[in-house]
Amino acid sequence: MNHEAHEAHEASEAHHGAAGADEAHTAHEADDERDFEELVRKLMTDDAHTIQPSPAPYPAIRRRGVAERRRRVSAVGAVLAAAVAVPAGAYAVVGGDGGGGADTATPMSSVSAPQTASTSGSTTRSGPQPPVSEEQLLDGITFAQASEALEQCLDQEHVGSAVSGDLAKAESYRIILAAKSTGVSNSPGDGIHVVGVAERPEGFRVICNVKDGVSAGISTSAKDAHGPDTGPVVPDANAGDLYQQSLIDKGKWKLPFRWGVIGMVDPTVAKVTVDYGDGSATAALDHGWFAASGVLNRQVTKTPHIKGFDAAGKLVYDSDTDKTYDKTLP
């Protein structure tokens, strides 16, 4: 082999040796990468067994659900029994046995307020708005007691609600009357009535009944119940519980008896009077509503006689000529 051929052979062997070394190094790096990947997979698998999702806040969810359900309360036109107790004596009634007592026999004086805007300047409140006059809170009932009674009734869970859940909030109401209620044969035990009217929808109201410190039921009514052809004064057609006793006690009511009459009025009405039995009263006008009360001392067969007058003293409504108004007790 000549010298040139020998040098070429040596160069070829050197090239193959370097290539083999590079391939060995590359194979080693691939093995390291596979080992690293397997290690990462193992660590991730091991950690997966130790990771647990945080438990769902079941108590908080349940409380929210209960609160939402309680907001969807009210039963249209029904008187529903309740069983939620409040502290005994929370609604103590002052004066009188039976219906009202001699201390409240004086008719309610004339009180009026704007028929539209609310008198409250606060945009956030935790309870109902008060009436325009304390004289609408009768028989020693305070506004705090009337508010608690209303909230107690609205807090009941009623079946078949047909009104918005917002109406269940006491903040949506204004109290226009609170007075002593007289127990009857089919519902014994004296208590109090609280009338709350809603800001929205217009014409919606509730009458809450509380006896012996316990919510005994709630009745509701709406403006639609009076029909389309109404006058400037609209007596509440479903508020008979305020001025009459049980049908089975007809002719033998417990006396003296605290009665109340409520309804709606147009802004043009400046005065509403109510004659009932042996007494008369001038109603309070409260943001589009009227509320009158007195004490009955004899048996009656006719419903309250209601009249409305404008600012000039002109008679603009008389229940005796109202074809939609029942003039005789059932």
Side-chain angles (χ1 to χ4, degrees):
M1 181 181 299
N2 59 27
H3 178 71
E4 292 179 353
H6 178 72
E7 287 182 350
H9 177 72
E10 288 181 348
S12 175
E13 288 183 350
H15 173 74
H16 288 298
D22 289 341
E23 291 177 357
H25 179 71
T26 301
H28 180 70
E29 287 182 347
D31 290 340
D32 289 344
E33 289 180 0
R34 284 194 295 270
D35 292 343
F36 179 73
E37 291 177 358
E38 290 179 0
L39 177 61
V40 171
R41 290 193 186 97
K42 183 177 184 304
L43 292 174
M44 293 177 66
T45 302
D46 292 342
D47 288 343
H49 293 295
T50 63
I51 299 175
Q52 296 181 353
S54 58
Y58 175 75
I61 293 173
R62 183 180 181 277
R63 286 195 299 271
R64 291 180 184 177
V66 172
E68 285 300 321
R69 188 170 64 253
R70 287 181 175 177
R71 290 190 184 100
R72 299 190 297 270
V73 300
S74 198
V76 177
V79 178
L80 304 173
V84 180
V86 295
Y91 307 107
V93 179
V94 178
D97 52 357
D103 61 323
T104 55
T106 302
M108 185 183 298
S109 62
S110 177
V111 181
S112 63
Q115 305 295 318
T116 55
S118 167
T119 57
S120 174
S122 174
T123 57
T124 58
R125 59 185 189 274
S126 58
Q129 292 191 32
V132 296
S133 172
E134 291 185 356
E135 294 185 9
Q136 292 163 246
L137 305 174
L138 303 165
D139 305 316
I141 302 169
T142 67
F143 175 64
Q145 291 170 341
S147 298
E148 187 173 357
L150 180 62
E151 291 174 359
Q152 184 74 10
C153 285
L154 294 174
D155 197 41
Q156 303 303 314
E157 296 186 28
H158 300 302
V159 179
S161 174
V163 295
S164 169
D166 290 340
L167 293 177
K169 299 177 182 179
E171 291 84 354
S172 300
Y173 292 86
R174 172 184 298 278
I175 293 175
I176 63 169
L177 184 66
K180 185 176 181 180
S181 65
T182 300
V184 293
S185 296
N186 63 342
S187 182
D190 294 345
I192 66 172
H193 280 131
V194 178
V195 181
V197 296
E199 296 177 349
R200 291 178 298 274
E202 181 186 7
F204 184 85
R205 65 95 181 125
V206 298
I207 298 177
C208 174
N209 190 18
V210 172
K211 294 185 177 183
D212 299 324
V214 177
S215 176
I218 183 172
S219 69
T220 67
S221 186
K223 186 177 182 180
D224 295 342
H226 302 288
D229 299 326
T230 57
V233 178
V234 185
D236 193 315
N238 300 310
D241 289 346
L242 295 177
Y243 60 81
Q244 63 186 15
Q245 297 184 29
S246 172
L247 292 176
I248 61 177
D249 295 325
K250 186 176 181 179
K252 48 183 179 179
W253 286 3
K254 295 180 180 179
L255 301 174
F257 169 56
R258 162 66 71 188
W259 58 265
V261 177
I262 62 172
M264 303 187 69
V265 292
D266 285 347
T268 57
V269 176
K271 181 180 179 181
V272 174
T273 63
V274 180
D275 296 320
Y276 192 38
D278 53 359
S280 299
T282 300
L285 304 183
D286 193 335
H287 294 78
W289 292 82
F290 76 86
S293 184
V295 176
L296 191 66
N297 291 294
R298 65 176 176 83
Q299 305 294 330
V300 291
T301 58
K302 294 185 178 298
T303 56
H305 183 199
I306 305 169
K307 294 180 179 180
F309 304 85
D310 63 14
K314 178 183 177 182
L315 179 68
V316 294
Y317 174 82
D318 190 333
S319 62
D320 280 351
T321 60
D322 185 348
K323 296 179 180 180
T324 66
Y325 183 75
D326 292 329
K327 301 164 186 64
T328 304
L329 292 170

